[in-house]
Amino acid sequence: MAWNETTQEQYKRPSDRLETDLTDEEWELIEPLLPSSSMTGRPRSTDLREVFNAIQFMLGTGCRWRALPPCFLPFTTVQGYYGARRDDGVFETMLDVLRGRAGELAGSCEDPTAVAVELQVALTGSRRSVSDWIGV
């Protein structure tokens, strides 16, 4: 995809947000895949979108948990949610949905058996956002 005025506008983030933050379209894909708040106990007060913004930042920059900038939630909160979602298989479900979406956009089957990743992206880990993978 060429980087031109159209794509710049499409991937533009609000000026007060970071480049790695989820767009509204990306969040609409991810939010339904997350477990709902428990009906027992204290109501959830943590904004899950902010948790995923912090995870995206860490993946995009390669920073350590403790080096998470203060504009994010405390690293212990992000680390706790990350571990819980990893353990309950949410990330695997997200990957399955994103692979299906990529297959739809490519005009192939919804359940692709293989996914190609650009070598430079894989080597450097420099991924702009979820939307690069799914074409939002």
Side-chain angles (χ1 to χ4, degrees), residues 8-47:
Q8 285 177 353
E9 188 62 33
Q10 180 181 356
Y11 293 105
K12 185 177 180 180
R13 304 293 204 255
S15 60
D16 63 335
R17 301 305 300 174
L18 298 171
E19 181 181 293
T20 56
D21 286 354
L22 296 169
T23 63
D24 291 338
E25 294 84 13
E26 292 166 345
W27 181 243
E28 287 173 12
L29 285 172
I30 291 174
E31 187 178 26
L33 304 173
L34 299 174
S36 59
S37 183
S38 174
M39 299 304 281
T40 60
R42 193 173 52 181
R44 179 187 297 150
S45 61
T46 303
D47 182 2

PDB file of all heavy atoms in Angstrom, residues 8-47:
ATOM      1  N   GLN A   8      -2.585   8.485   4.560  1.00  0.00           N
ATOM      2  CA  GLN A   8      -2.208   9.286   5.725  1.00  0.00           C
ATOM      3  C   GLN A   8      -3.442   9.686   6.515  1.00  0.00           C
ATOM      4  O   GLN A   8      -3.462   9.609   7.739  1.00  0.00           O
ATOM      5  CB  GLN A   8      -1.433  10.528   5.308  1.00  0.00           C
ATOM      6  CG  GLN A   8      -0.012  10.246   4.888  1.00  0.00           C
ATOM      7  CD  GLN A   8       0.705  11.494   4.412  1.00  0.00           C
ATOM      8  OE1 GLN A   8       0.104  12.555   4.283  1.00  0.00           O
ATOM      9  NE2 GLN A   8       1.985  11.360   4.147  1.00  0.00           N
ATOM     10  N   GLU A   9      -4.493  10.103   5.824  1.00  0.00           N
ATOM     11  CA  GLU A   9      -5.737  10.489   6.492  1.00  0.00           C
ATOM     12  C   GLU A   9      -6.391   9.279   7.154  1.00  0.00           C
ATOM     13  O   GLU A   9      -6.916   9.374   8.257  1.00  0.00           O
ATOM     14  CB  GLU A   9      -6.699  11.140   5.485  1.00  0.00           C
ATOM     15  CG  GLU A   9      -7.923  11.753   6.113  1.00  0.00           C
ATOM     16  CD  GLU A   9      -7.605  12.879   7.073  1.00  0.00           C
ATOM     17  OE1 GLU A   9      -6.621  13.619   6.867  1.00  0.00           O
ATOM     18  OE2 GLU A   9      -8.353  13.026   8.066  1.00  0.00           O
ATOM     19  N   GLN A  10      -6.345   8.141   6.479  1.00  0.00           N
ATOM     20  CA  GLN A  10      -6.966   6.927   7.007  1.00  0.00           C
ATOM     21  C   GLN A  10      -6.320   6.494   8.323  1.00  0.00           C
ATOM     22  O   GLN A  10      -7.001   6.049   9.232  1.00  0.00           O
ATOM     23  CB  GLN A  10      -6.841   5.808   5.982  1.00  0.00           C
ATOM     24  CG  GLN A  10      -7.449   4.498   6.433  1.00  0.00           C
ATOM     25  CD  GLN A  10      -7.274   3.413   5.391  1.00  0.00           C
ATOM     26  OE1 GLN A  10      -6.760   3.648   4.306  1.00  0.00           O
ATOM     27  NE2 GLN A  10      -7.703   2.226   5.722  1.00  0.00           N
ATOM     28  N   TYR A  11      -5.004   6.609   8.434  1.00  0.00           N
ATOM     29  CA  TYR A  11      -4.292   6.148   9.622  1.00  0.00           C
ATOM     30  C   TYR A  11      -3.950   7.275  10.595  1.00  0.00           C
ATOM     31  O   TYR A  11      -3.218   7.056  11.558  1.00  0.00           O
ATOM     32  CB  TYR A  11      -3.021   5.398   9.221  1.00  0.00           C
ATOM     33  CG  TYR A  11      -3.327   4.112   8.531  1.00  0.00           C
ATOM     34  CD1 TYR A  11      -3.173   3.973   7.161  1.00  0.00           C
ATOM     35  CD2 TYR A  11      -3.820   3.026   9.245  1.00  0.00           C
ATOM     36  CE1 TYR A  11      -3.479   2.783   6.524  1.00  0.00           C
ATOM     37  CE2 TYR A  11      -4.129   1.841   8.617  1.00  0.00           C
ATOM     38  CZ  TYR A  11      -3.954   1.728   7.260  1.00  0.00           C
ATOM     39  OH  TYR A  11      -4.266   0.556   6.642  1.00  0.00           O
ATOM     40  N   LYS A  12      -4.472   8.447  10.343  1.00  0.00           N
ATOM     41  CA  LYS A  12      -4.186   9.598  11.186  1.00  0.00           C
ATOM     42  C   LYS A  12      -4.748   9.369  12.581  1.00  0.00           C
ATOM     43  O   LYS A  12      -5.875   8.912  12.752  1.00  0.00           O
ATOM     44  CB  LYS A  12      -4.809  10.851  10.569  1.00  0.00           C
ATOM     45  CG  LYS A  12      -4.490  12.114  11.293  1.00  0.00           C
ATOM     46  CD  LYS A  12      -5.099  13.287  10.559  1.00  0.00           C
ATOM     47  CE  LYS A  12      -4.779  14.579  11.272  1.00  0.00           C
ATOM     48  NZ  LYS A  12      -5.379  15.709  10.563  1.00  0.00           N
ATOM     49  N   ARG A  13      -3.957   9.663  13.587  1.00  0.00           N
ATOM     50  CA  ARG A  13      -4.381   9.563  14.978  1.00  0.00           C
ATOM     51  C   ARG A  13      -4.622  10.971  15.519  1.00  0.00           C
ATOM     52  O   ARG A  13      -3.978  11.920  15.083  1.00  0.00           O
ATOM     53  CB  ARG A  13      -3.307   8.888  15.838  1.00  0.00           C
ATOM     54  CG  ARG A  13      -2.868   7.529  15.364  1.00  0.00           C
ATOM     55  CD  ARG A  13      -4.014   6.535  15.512  1.00  0.00           C
ATOM     56  NE  ARG A  13      -3.549   5.170  15.626  1.00  0.00           N
ATOM     57  CZ  ARG A  13      -3.616   4.280  14.650  1.00  0.00           C
ATOM     58  NH1 ARG A  13      -4.094   4.611  13.478  1.00  0.00           N
ATOM     59  NH2 ARG A  13      -3.203   3.062  14.831  1.00  0.00           N
ATOM     60  N   PRO A  14      -5.522  11.108  16.474  1.00  0.00           N
ATOM     61  CA  PRO A  14      -5.682  12.426  17.104  1.00  0.00           C
ATOM     62  C   PRO A  14      -4.341  12.885  17.679  1.00  0.00           C
ATOM     63  O   PRO A  14      -3.535  12.068  18.133  1.00  0.00           O
ATOM     64  CB  PRO A  14      -6.700  12.169  18.219  1.00  0.00           C
ATOM     65  CG  PRO A  14      -7.431  10.943  17.804  1.00  0.00           C
ATOM     66  CD  PRO A  14      -6.439  10.120  17.020  1.00  0.00           C
ATOM     67  N   SER A  15      -4.109  14.187  17.680  1.00  0.00           N
ATOM     68  CA  SER A  15      -2.795  14.700  18.053  1.00  0.00           C
ATOM     69  C   SER A  15      -2.421  14.393  19.495  1.00  0.00           C
ATOM     70  O   SER A  15      -1.244  14.347  19.836  1.00  0.00           O
ATOM     71  CB  SER A  15      -2.751  16.218  17.821  1.00  0.00           C
ATOM     72  OG  SER A  15      -3.750  16.841  18.607  1.00  0.00           O
ATOM     73  N   ASP A  16      -3.403  14.185  20.368  1.00  0.00           N
ATOM     74  CA  ASP A  16      -3.079  13.920  21.768  1.00  0.00           C
ATOM     75  C   ASP A  16      -2.865  12.435  22.040  1.00  0.00           C
ATOM     76  O   ASP A  16      -2.639  12.040  23.170  1.00  0.00           O
ATOM     77  CB  ASP A  16      -4.162  14.477  22.682  1.00  0.00           C
ATOM     78  CG  ASP A  16      -5.511  13.810  22.468  1.00  0.00           C
ATOM     79  OD1 ASP A  16      -5.749  13.297  21.368  1.00  0.00           O
ATOM     80  OD2 ASP A  16      -6.318  13.808  23.415  1.00  0.00           O
ATOM     81  N   ARG A  17      -2.930  11.608  21.017  1.00  0.00           N
ATOM     82  CA  ARG A  17      -2.752  10.166  21.186  1.00  0.00           C
ATOM     83  C   ARG A  17      -1.456   9.721  20.524  1.00  0.00           C
ATOM     84  O   ARG A  17      -0.879  10.432  19.716  1.00  0.00           O
ATOM     85  CB  ARG A  17      -3.939   9.404  20.580  1.00  0.00           C
ATOM     86  CG  ARG A  17      -5.274   9.771  21.171  1.00  0.00           C
ATOM     87  CD  ARG A  17      -5.346   9.630  22.651  1.00  0.00           C
ATOM     88  NE  ARG A  17      -5.078   8.253  23.033  1.00  0.00           N
ATOM     89  CZ  ARG A  17      -4.960   7.841  24.273  1.00  0.00           C
ATOM     90  NH1 ARG A  17      -5.061   8.685  25.254  1.00  0.00           N
ATOM     91  NH2 ARG A  17      -4.725   6.589  24.539  1.00  0.00           N
ATOM     92  N   LEU A  18      -1.058   8.515  20.858  1.00  0.00           N
ATOM     93  CA  LEU A  18       0.175   7.963  20.300  1.00  0.00           C
ATOM     94  C   LEU A  18      -0.108   7.223  18.999  1.00  0.00           C
ATOM     95  O   LEU A  18      -1.229   6.778  18.751  1.00  0.00           O
ATOM     96  CB  LEU A  18       0.816   7.007  21.307  1.00  0.00           C
ATOM     97  CG  LEU A  18       1.232   7.647  22.625  1.00  0.00           C
ATOM     98  CD1 LEU A  18       1.649   6.584  23.613  1.00  0.00           C
ATOM     99  CD2 LEU A  18       2.358   8.631  22.397  1.00  0.00           C
ATOM    100  N   GLU A  19       0.922   7.046  18.199  1.00  0.00           N
ATOM    101  CA  GLU A  19       0.792   6.362  16.913  1.00  0.00           C
ATOM    102  C   GLU A  19       0.318   4.922  17.081  1.00  0.00           C
ATOM    103  O   GLU A  19      -0.367   4.372  16.232  1.00  0.00           O
ATOM    104  CB  GLU A  19       2.152   6.391  16.212  1.00  0.00           C
ATOM    105  CG  GLU A  19       2.163   5.734  14.867  1.00  0.00           C
ATOM    106  CD  GLU A  19       3.533   5.788  14.247  1.00  0.00           C
ATOM    107  OE1 GLU A  19       3.989   6.890  13.926  1.00  0.00           O
ATOM    108  OE2 GLU A  19       4.137   4.724  14.082  1.00  0.00           O
ATOM    109  N   THR A  20       0.667   4.299  18.193  1.00  0.00           N
ATOM    110  CA  THR A  20       0.327   2.895  18.404  1.00  0.00           C
ATOM    111  C   THR A  20      -1.083   2.689  18.963  1.00  0.00           C
ATOM    112  O   THR A  20      -1.538   1.554  19.059  1.00  0.00           O
ATOM    113  CB  THR A  20       1.329   2.238  19.373  1.00  0.00           C
ATOM    114  OG1 THR A  20       1.358   2.990  20.582  1.00  0.00           O
ATOM    115  CG2 THR A  20       2.706   2.156  18.756  1.00  0.00           C
ATOM    116  N   ASP A  21      -1.785   3.765  19.337  1.00  0.00           N
ATOM    117  CA  ASP A  21      -3.127   3.631  19.902  1.00  0.00           C
ATOM    118  C   ASP A  21      -4.102   3.060  18.883  1.00  0.00           C
ATOM    119  O   ASP A  21      -3.987   3.312  17.678  1.00  0.00           O
ATOM    120  CB  ASP A  21      -3.648   4.980  20.390  1.00  0.00           C
ATOM    121  CG  ASP A  21      -2.984   5.429  21.678  1.00  0.00           C
ATOM    122  OD1 ASP A  21      -2.206   4.640  22.250  1.00  0.00           O
ATOM    123  OD2 ASP A  21      -3.241   6.559  22.107  1.00  0.00           O
ATOM    124  N   LEU A  22      -5.059   2.300  19.383  1.00  0.00           N
ATOM    125  CA  LEU A  22      -6.084   1.705  18.526  1.00  0.00           C
ATOM    126  C   LEU A  22      -7.012   2.776  17.963  1.00  0.00           C
ATOM    127  O   LEU A  22      -7.406   3.697  18.671  1.00  0.00           O
ATOM    128  CB  LEU A  22      -6.924   0.709  19.327  1.00  0.00           C
ATOM    129  CG  LEU A  22      -6.202  -0.515  19.876  1.00  0.00           C
ATOM    130  CD1 LEU A  22      -7.088  -1.242  20.865  1.00  0.00           C
ATOM    131  CD2 LEU A  22      -5.804  -1.431  18.747  1.00  0.00           C
ATOM    132  N   THR A  23      -7.376   2.630  16.694  1.00  0.00           N
ATOM    133  CA  THR A  23      -8.392   3.501  16.112  1.00  0.00           C
ATOM    134  C   THR A  23      -9.758   2.981  16.550  1.00  0.00           C
ATOM    135  O   THR A  23      -9.883   1.866  17.073  1.00  0.00           O
ATOM    136  CB  THR A  23      -8.318   3.496  14.573  1.00  0.00           C
ATOM    137  OG1 THR A  23      -8.596   2.178  14.120  1.00  0.00           O
ATOM    138  CG2 THR A  23      -6.977   3.974  14.072  1.00  0.00           C
ATOM    139  N   ASP A  24     -10.801   3.763  16.307  1.00  0.00           N
ATOM    140  CA  ASP A  24     -12.163   3.323  16.651  1.00  0.00           C
ATOM    141  C   ASP A  24     -12.530   2.056  15.887  1.00  0.00           C
ATOM    142  O   ASP A  24     -13.151   1.150  16.443  1.00  0.00           O
ATOM    143  CB  ASP A  24     -13.179   4.430  16.356  1.00  0.00           C
ATOM    144  CG  ASP A  24     -13.029   5.615  17.295  1.00  0.00           C
ATOM    145  OD1 ASP A  24     -12.464   5.435  18.410  1.00  0.00           O
ATOM    146  OD2 ASP A  24     -13.472   6.713  16.933  1.00  0.00           O
ATOM    147  N   GLU A  25     -12.135   1.971  14.622  1.00  0.00           N
ATOM    148  CA  GLU A  25     -12.452   0.798  13.811  1.00  0.00           C
ATOM    149  C   GLU A  25     -11.758  -0.451  14.354  1.00  0.00           C
ATOM    150  O   GLU A  25     -12.339  -1.534  14.400  1.00  0.00           O
ATOM    151  CB  GLU A  25     -12.055   1.016  12.341  1.00  0.00           C
ATOM    152  CG  GLU A  25     -12.855   2.085  11.640  1.00  0.00           C
ATOM    153  CD  GLU A  25     -12.313   3.490  11.890  1.00  0.00           C
ATOM    154  OE1 GLU A  25     -11.178   3.637  12.413  1.00  0.00           O
ATOM    155  OE2 GLU A  25     -13.032   4.452  11.591  1.00  0.00           O
ATOM    156  N   GLU A  26     -10.507  -0.296  14.771  1.00  0.00           N
ATOM    157  CA  GLU A  26      -9.776  -1.425  15.343  1.00  0.00           C
ATOM    158  C   GLU A  26     -10.420  -1.878  16.649  1.00  0.00           C
ATOM    159  O   GLU A  26     -10.564  -3.078  16.893  1.00  0.00           O
ATOM    160  CB  GLU A  26      -8.313  -1.036  15.580  1.00  0.00           C
ATOM    161  CG  GLU A  26      -7.538  -0.802  14.309  1.00  0.00           C
ATOM    162  CD  GLU A  26      -6.208  -0.111  14.540  1.00  0.00           C
ATOM    163  OE1 GLU A  26      -5.982   0.452  15.631  1.00  0.00           O
ATOM    164  OE2 GLU A  26      -5.397  -0.133  13.605  1.00  0.00           O
ATOM    165  N   TRP A  27     -10.798  -0.920  17.482  1.00  0.00           N
ATOM    166  CA  TRP A  27     -11.407  -1.256  18.760  1.00  0.00           C
ATOM    167  C   TRP A  27     -12.757  -1.961  18.554  1.00  0.00           C
ATOM    168  O   TRP A  27     -13.107  -2.872  19.296  1.00  0.00           O
ATOM    169  CB  TRP A  27     -11.562  -0.016  19.625  1.00  0.00           C
ATOM    170  CG  TRP A  27     -12.161  -0.324  20.959  1.00  0.00           C
ATOM    171  CD1 TRP A  27     -13.342   0.128  21.452  1.00  0.00           C
ATOM    172  CD2 TRP A  27     -11.618  -1.172  21.973  1.00  0.00           C
ATOM    173  NE1 TRP A  27     -13.559  -0.382  22.699  1.00  0.00           N
ATOM    174  CE2 TRP A  27     -12.518  -1.186  23.047  1.00  0.00           C
ATOM    175  CE3 TRP A  27     -10.458  -1.932  22.077  1.00  0.00           C
ATOM    176  CZ2 TRP A  27     -12.300  -1.923  24.212  1.00  0.00           C
ATOM    177  CZ3 TRP A  27     -10.242  -2.664  23.236  1.00  0.00           C
ATOM    178  CH2 TRP A  27     -11.154  -2.650  24.276  1.00  0.00           C
ATOM    179  N   GLU A  28     -13.505  -1.561  17.546  1.00  0.00           N
ATOM    180  CA  GLU A  28     -14.786  -2.219  17.256  1.00  0.00           C
ATOM    181  C   GLU A  28     -14.596  -3.688  16.897  1.00  0.00           C
ATOM    182  O   GLU A  28     -15.476  -4.506  17.144  1.00  0.00           O
ATOM    183  CB  GLU A  28     -15.515  -1.491  16.134  1.00  0.00           C
ATOM    184  CG  GLU A  28     -16.095  -0.155  16.559  1.00  0.00           C
ATOM    185  CD  GLU A  28     -16.663   0.639  15.399  1.00  0.00           C
ATOM    186  OE1 GLU A  28     -16.820   0.078  14.287  1.00  0.00           O
ATOM    187  OE2 GLU A  28     -16.945   1.825  15.595  1.00  0.00           O
ATOM    188  N   LEU A  29     -13.454  -4.036  16.302  1.00  0.00           N
ATOM    189  CA  LEU A  29     -13.165  -5.441  15.992  1.00  0.00           C
ATOM    190  C   LEU A  29     -12.750  -6.220  17.236  1.00  0.00           C
ATOM    191  O   LEU A  29     -13.094  -7.386  17.393  1.00  0.00           O
ATOM    192  CB  LEU A  29     -12.045  -5.541  14.960  1.00  0.00           C
ATOM    193  CG  LEU A  29     -12.403  -5.215  13.532  1.00  0.00           C
ATOM    194  CD1 LEU A  29     -11.149  -5.161  12.680  1.00  0.00           C
ATOM    195  CD2 LEU A  29     -13.375  -6.239  12.983  1.00  0.00           C
ATOM    196  N   ILE A  30     -12.011  -5.579  18.123  1.00  0.00           N
ATOM    197  CA  ILE A  30     -11.449  -6.260  19.287  1.00  0.00           C
ATOM    198  C   ILE A  30     -12.435  -6.361  20.448  1.00  0.00           C
ATOM    199  O   ILE A  30     -12.526  -7.402  21.103  1.00  0.00           O
ATOM    200  CB  ILE A  30     -10.163  -5.537  19.743  1.00  0.00           C
ATOM    201  CG1 ILE A  30      -9.066  -5.738  18.710  1.00  0.00           C
ATOM    202  CG2 ILE A  30      -9.705  -6.014  21.114  1.00  0.00           C
ATOM    203  CD1 ILE A  30      -7.825  -4.948  18.992  1.00  0.00           C
ATOM    204  N   GLU A  31     -13.168  -5.318  20.711  1.00  0.00           N
ATOM    205  CA  GLU A  31     -14.013  -5.257  21.916  1.00  0.00           C
ATOM    206  C   GLU A  31     -14.974  -6.437  22.070  1.00  0.00           C
ATOM    207  O   GLU A  31     -15.080  -7.005  23.169  1.00  0.00           O
ATOM    208  CB  GLU A  31     -14.774  -3.933  21.959  1.00  0.00           C
ATOM    209  CG  GLU A  31     -15.536  -3.741  23.246  1.00  0.00           C
ATOM    210  CD  GLU A  31     -16.244  -2.401  23.300  1.00  0.00           C
ATOM    211  OE1 GLU A  31     -16.570  -1.839  22.233  1.00  0.00           O
ATOM    212  OE2 GLU A  31     -16.479  -1.938  24.417  1.00  0.00           O
ATOM    213  N   PRO A  32     -15.678  -6.874  21.011  1.00  0.00           N
ATOM    214  CA  PRO A  32     -16.609  -7.995  21.197  1.00  0.00           C
ATOM    215  C   PRO A  32     -15.919  -9.318  21.554  1.00  0.00           C
ATOM    216  O   PRO A  32     -16.565 -10.233  22.054  1.00  0.00           O
ATOM    217  CB  PRO A  32     -17.318  -8.124  19.849  1.00  0.00           C
ATOM    218  CG  PRO A  32     -17.008  -6.894  19.097  1.00  0.00           C
ATOM    219  CD  PRO A  32     -15.773  -6.316  19.674  1.00  0.00           C
ATOM    220  N   LEU A  33     -14.626  -9.417  21.307  1.00  0.00           N
ATOM    221  CA  LEU A  33     -13.898 -10.651  21.591  1.00  0.00           C
ATOM    222  C   LEU A  33     -13.453 -10.757  23.046  1.00  0.00           C
ATOM    223  O   LEU A  33     -13.020 -11.810  23.490  1.00  0.00           O
ATOM    224  CB  LEU A  33     -12.672 -10.756  20.678  1.00  0.00           C
ATOM    225  CG  LEU A  33     -12.961 -10.685  19.183  1.00  0.00           C
ATOM    226  CD1 LEU A  33     -11.668 -10.637  18.403  1.00  0.00           C
ATOM    227  CD2 LEU A  33     -13.820 -11.852  18.747  1.00  0.00           C
ATOM    228  N   LEU A  34     -13.570  -9.655  23.780  1.00  0.00           N
ATOM    229  CA  LEU A  34     -13.129  -9.639  25.172  1.00  0.00           C
ATOM    230  C   LEU A  34     -14.232 -10.135  26.096  1.00  0.00           C
ATOM    231  O   LEU A  34     -15.412  -9.907  25.842  1.00  0.00           O
ATOM    232  CB  LEU A  34     -12.729  -8.217  25.569  1.00  0.00           C
ATOM    233  CG  LEU A  34     -11.591  -7.608  24.774  1.00  0.00           C
ATOM    234  CD1 LEU A  34     -11.398  -6.156  25.153  1.00  0.00           C
ATOM    235  CD2 LEU A  34     -10.322  -8.395  24.995  1.00  0.00           C
ATOM    236  N   PRO A  35     -13.838 -10.811  27.185  1.00  0.00           N
ATOM    237  CA  PRO A  35     -14.848 -11.266  28.137  1.00  0.00           C
ATOM    238  C   PRO A  35     -15.536 -10.074  28.790  1.00  0.00           C
ATOM    239  O   PRO A  35     -14.911  -9.057  29.056  1.00  0.00           O
ATOM    240  CB  PRO A  35     -14.061 -12.072  29.163  1.00  0.00           C
ATOM    241  CG  PRO A  35     -12.633 -11.958  28.819  1.00  0.00           C
ATOM    242  CD  PRO A  35     -12.491 -11.185  27.553  1.00  0.00           C
ATOM    243  N   SER A  36     -16.833 -10.222  29.018  1.00  0.00           N
ATOM    244  CA  SER A  36     -17.570  -9.130  29.661  1.00  0.00           C
ATOM    245  C   SER A  36     -17.205  -9.065  31.140  1.00  0.00           C
ATOM    246  O   SER A  36     -16.620  -9.996  31.699  1.00  0.00           O
ATOM    247  CB  SER A  36     -19.070  -9.320  29.484  1.00  0.00           C
ATOM    248  OG  SER A  36     -19.457 -10.548  30.057  1.00  0.00           O
ATOM    249  N   SER A  37     -17.572  -7.969  31.752  1.00  0.00           N
ATOM    250  CA  SER A  37     -17.303  -7.774  33.172  1.00  0.00           C
ATOM    251  C   SER A  37     -18.062  -8.810  33.989  1.00  0.00           C
ATOM    252  O   SER A  37     -19.190  -9.181  33.653  1.00  0.00           O
ATOM    253  CB  SER A  37     -17.730  -6.357  33.569  1.00  0.00           C
ATOM    254  OG  SER A  37     -17.419  -6.120  34.908  1.00  0.00           O
ATOM    255  N   SER A  38     -17.454  -9.272  35.053  1.00  0.00           N
ATOM    256  CA  SER A  38     -18.074 -10.280  35.910  1.00  0.00           C
ATOM    257  C   SER A  38     -19.308  -9.710  36.600  1.00  0.00           C
ATOM    258  O   SER A  38     -19.342  -8.543  36.981  1.00  0.00           O
ATOM    259  CB  SER A  38     -17.063 -10.748  36.958  1.00  0.00           C
ATOM    260  OG  SER A  38     -17.676 -11.617  37.871  1.00  0.00           O
ATOM    261  N   MET A  39     -20.307 -10.540  36.749  1.00  0.00           N
ATOM    262  CA  MET A  39     -21.540 -10.105  37.423  1.00  0.00           C
ATOM    263  C   MET A  39     -21.367 -10.114  38.943  1.00  0.00           C
ATOM    264  O   MET A  39     -22.168  -9.541  39.655  1.00  0.00           O
ATOM    265  CB  MET A  39     -22.705 -11.024  37.027  1.00  0.00           C
ATOM    266  CG  MET A  39     -23.005 -10.998  35.534  1.00  0.00           C
ATOM    267  SD  MET A  39     -23.338  -9.352  34.909  1.00  0.00           S
ATOM    268  CE  MET A  39     -25.013  -9.136  35.442  1.00  0.00           C
ATOM    269  N   THR A  40     -20.338 -10.771  39.429  1.00  0.00           N
ATOM    270  CA  THR A  40     -20.085 -10.801  40.865  1.00  0.00           C
ATOM    271  C   THR A  40     -18.857  -9.967  41.176  1.00  0.00           C
ATOM    272  O   THR A  40     -18.016  -9.727  40.316  1.00  0.00           O
ATOM    273  CB  THR A  40     -19.848 -12.250  41.348  1.00  0.00           C
ATOM    274  OG1 THR A  40     -18.717 -12.779  40.657  1.00  0.00           O
ATOM    275  CG2 THR A  40     -21.060 -13.120  41.072  1.00  0.00           C
ATOM    276  N   GLY A  41     -18.758  -9.544  42.392  1.00  0.00           N
ATOM    277  CA  GLY A  41     -17.596  -8.762  42.799  1.00  0.00           C
ATOM    278  C   GLY A  41     -17.702  -7.310  42.403  1.00  0.00           C
ATOM    279  O   GLY A  41     -18.755  -6.817  41.984  1.00  0.00           O
ATOM    280  N   ARG A  42     -16.598  -6.629  42.516  1.00  0.00           N
ATOM    281  CA  ARG A  42     -16.545  -5.203  42.233  1.00  0.00           C
ATOM    282  C   ARG A  42     -16.627  -4.959  40.729  1.00  0.00           C
ATOM    283  O   ARG A  42     -15.997  -5.672  39.946  1.00  0.00           O
ATOM    284  CB  ARG A  42     -15.224  -4.671  42.780  1.00  0.00           C
ATOM    285  CG  ARG A  42     -15.137  -3.189  42.855  1.00  0.00           C
ATOM    286  CD  ARG A  42     -13.895  -2.755  43.554  1.00  0.00           C
ATOM    287  NE  ARG A  42     -12.732  -3.399  42.943  1.00  0.00           N
ATOM    288  CZ  ARG A  42     -11.501  -3.225  43.350  1.00  0.00           C
ATOM    289  NH1 ARG A  42     -11.250  -2.463  44.375  1.00  0.00           N
ATOM    290  NH2 ARG A  42     -10.499  -3.825  42.744  1.00  0.00           N
ATOM    291  N   PRO A  43     -17.378  -3.949  40.291  1.00  0.00           N
ATOM    292  CA  PRO A  43     -17.465  -3.645  38.853  1.00  0.00           C
ATOM    293  C   PRO A  43     -16.098  -3.214  38.315  1.00  0.00           C
ATOM    294  O   PRO A  43     -15.308  -2.590  39.016  1.00  0.00           O
ATOM    295  CB  PRO A  43     -18.458  -2.485  38.770  1.00  0.00           C
ATOM    296  CG  PRO A  43     -19.140  -2.434  40.081  1.00  0.00           C
ATOM    297  CD  PRO A  43     -18.242  -3.075  41.080  1.00  0.00           C
ATOM    298  N   ARG A  44     -15.836  -3.553  37.077  1.00  0.00           N
ATOM    299  CA  ARG A  44     -14.573  -3.192  36.434  1.00  0.00           C
ATOM    300  C   ARG A  44     -14.493  -1.683  36.287  1.00  0.00           C
ATOM    301  O   ARG A  44     -15.412  -1.039  35.784  1.00  0.00           O
ATOM    302  CB  ARG A  44     -14.487  -3.850  35.061  1.00  0.00           C
ATOM    303  CG  ARG A  44     -13.209  -3.511  34.317  1.00  0.00           C
ATOM    304  CD  ARG A  44     -13.178  -4.024  32.893  1.00  0.00           C
ATOM    305  NE  ARG A  44     -13.226  -5.473  32.871  1.00  0.00           N
ATOM    306  CZ  ARG A  44     -13.778  -6.167  31.879  1.00  0.00           C
ATOM    307  NH1 ARG A  44     -14.328  -5.564  30.864  1.00  0.00           N
ATOM    308  NH2 ARG A  44     -13.776  -7.486  31.921  1.00  0.00           N
ATOM    309  N   SER A  45     -13.387  -1.124  36.721  1.00  0.00           N
ATOM    310  CA  SER A  45     -13.183   0.324  36.571  1.00  0.00           C
ATOM    311  C   SER A  45     -12.084   0.636  35.561  1.00  0.00           C
ATOM    312  O   SER A  45     -11.876   1.789  35.209  1.00  0.00           O
ATOM    313  CB  SER A  45     -12.827   0.945  37.922  1.00  0.00           C
ATOM    314  OG  SER A  45     -11.629   0.380  38.425  1.00  0.00           O
ATOM    315  N   THR A  46     -11.394  -0.386  35.082  1.00  0.00           N
ATOM    316  CA  THR A  46     -10.300  -0.209  34.130  1.00  0.00           C
ATOM    317  C   THR A  46     -10.844  -0.169  32.712  1.00  0.00           C
ATOM    318  O   THR A  46     -11.650  -1.003  32.319  1.00  0.00           O
ATOM    319  CB  THR A  46      -9.298  -1.370  34.258  1.00  0.00           C
ATOM    320  OG1 THR A  46      -8.834  -1.422  35.605  1.00  0.00           O
ATOM    321  CG2 THR A  46      -8.123  -1.189  33.328  1.00  0.00           C
ATOM    322  N   ASP A  47     -10.405   0.820  31.952  1.00  0.00           N
ATOM    323  CA  ASP A  47     -10.788   0.946  30.550  1.00  0.00           C
ATOM    324  C   ASP A  47      -9.942  -0.034  29.733  1.00  0.00           C
ATOM    325  O   ASP A  47      -8.732   0.134  29.613  1.00  0.00           O
ATOM    326  CB  ASP A  47     -10.562   2.381  30.087  1.00  0.00           C
ATOM    327  CG  ASP A  47     -10.966   2.620  28.648  1.00  0.00           C
ATOM    328  OD1 ASP A  47     -11.465   1.688  27.985  1.00  0.00           O
ATOM    329  OD2 ASP A  47     -10.779   3.765  28.183  1.00  0.00           O
TER     330      ASP A  47
END
